[in-house]
Amino acid sequence: MIEIPTDLPAELVPLSWLIGVWEGSGVLDYTAGDEHVQLEFGQRISFSHDGLPYLNYNSYSWLIDDDRTPLVAETGYWRLGRLLIEGDPGPAMLPGVGTRPFTTAQSVEALRNSAGGFDIEVAIVHPDGVSEIYLGQVKGPRIDLATDAVMRTASAKDYAAATRLYGLVENHLLWAWDIAALGQELASHASGRLAKAE
């Protein structure tokens, strides 16, 4: 059962099933050139909010080995995709002017797309110099995302595009991540199954 926090901004209701801390394991399975990598990893993901209409996202993964070797971390923000107006805060630290939009469930319903879901925008930053902007849709307990932009620092490894899929299945968060990197076309990269830890 999905519990919706009473202090949740109305725009986050379509994403509310993500909120909390999830922990579990997954499989990395990717081929780059002549090298095939297949490893098991553990993962902890957190989705939280601070009263504004976006989710804070943090993920930390480690290899399942004797040393629990750190693998990767990422952080970001998830929100419904809509045009920001004067009532929204920003850019930078500028406060919103006037009435804050979409403060009721009824007003958020106006944001449904023609497929019956909600458009979403996700920004994810990796410590290895890669930043991703995803566009996609949340429809019930399923999210489909594809990169709209990938930005890399001069020192980052080749990484060109990605898709991600998230779903709530039997109270577990299942996800899959396909990437185009290191000269390879878009292909399966990793997947995981996480249970609610907090």
Side-chain angles (χ1 to χ4, degrees), residues 154-187:
S155 61
K157 291 183 178 179
D158 174 49
Y159 183 93
T163 62
R164 297 189 190 213
L165 169 68
Y166 294 82
L168 187 63
V169 179
E170 297 177 354
N171 293 320
H172 284 83
L173 179 62
L174 276 60
W175 63 264
W177 185 9
D178 295 355
I179 65 170
L182 304 176
Q184 304 296 309
E185 297 293 322
L186 191 68

Side-chain angles (χ1 to χ4, degrees), residues 63 65-70:
L63 293 179
D65 61 13
D66 291 340
D67 298 322
R68 197 172 160 137
T69 305

Side-chain angles (χ1 to χ4, degrees), residues 7-14 53 80 102-108:
D7 63 342
L8 190 69
E11 285 185 65
L12 293 183
V13 170
L80 293 188
F102 304 104
T103 56
T104 67
Q106 182 179 2
S107 63
V108 172

